[in-house]
Amino acid sequence: MEPAKWHWWHDAEENPPEDWVHAFDEATSDIGTAVRGLEAAIYIARTRKRTGKGPTFSELFRAVGPDPRNLEPLPRTISSVERNRVVGQFRMLIAHAWGRAGWIAWGIETHSLRVGPRFRAAARRHRTTKTSIEHM
């Protein structure tokens, strides 16, 4: 484990739970970013098409993961305020990895999650290829 990567964890007394470290590393690795970022963008696109607005970060992570509710419980020594901060930072740093890769984007408003430029470009290529094949 590399403590420099644990920007979402600030408890000097103990290390973060292994389950959380593994989930974070998987979701932010090159392969994890490509796979989970694409899954996130697809979920966002479908949510926007269905509801007219983006999902919340909680909804996104429940659908695509990693969902902190499904991970090993945080130590009981952590206050509820700190627990909320850890969960928020954990999600946000993963979302930033997916955003840097171009899969997702968001603004400051609630429900502002939207697809990123990489997803839009891939969707355009897919539509163009699909249209070309249909006209053969």
Side-chain angles (χ1 to χ4, degrees):
M1 292 193 288
E2 301 171 33
K5 292 176 67 175
W6 304 338
H7 299 293
W8 47 272
W9 187 260
H10 293 284
D11 186 353
E13 299 295 316
E14 54 189 296
N15 289 333
E18 287 285 332
D19 198 25
W20 286 67
V21 171
H22 175 72
F24 182 83
D25 288 347
E26 184 276 327
T28 59
S29 70
D30 290 342
I31 293 172
T33 296
V35 172
R36 295 279 184 106
L38 175 59
E39 289 174 350
I42 291 168
Y43 177 76
I44 291 166
R46 288 179 177 163
T47 300
R48 282 193 164 275
K49 185 173 183 175
R50 190 178 70 254
T51 67
K53 59 186 178 181
T56 64
F57 283 99
S58 293
E59 292 165 340
L60 176 66
F61 281 91
R62 273 195 301 272
V64 176
D67 184 358
R69 294 175 312 155
N70 297 331
L71 298 175
E72 179 181 338
L74 293 172
R76 291 184 165 196
T77 57
I78 297 177
S79 71
S80 61
V81 170
E82 182 65 8
R83 186 177 309 273
N84 288 336
R85 190 202 59 74
V86 166
V87 170
Q89 287 288 327
F90 179 83
R91 288 178 178 156
M92 192 52 62
L93 288 169
I94 293 171
H96 277 286
W98 298 345
R100 280 191 306 276
W103 292 116
I104 68 173
W106 61 90
I108 59 171
E109 318 79 39
T110 303
H111 297 286
S112 68
L113 274 165
R114 58 188 179 279
V115 299
R118 185 173 183 182
F119 181 81
R120 286 192 302 275
R124 276 193 300 277
R125 282 192 307 276
H126 176 73
R127 282 192 301 271
T128 302
T129 303
K130 186 177 173 184
T131 302
S132 298
I133 291 171
E134 288 173 353
H135 287 93
M136 291 183 145

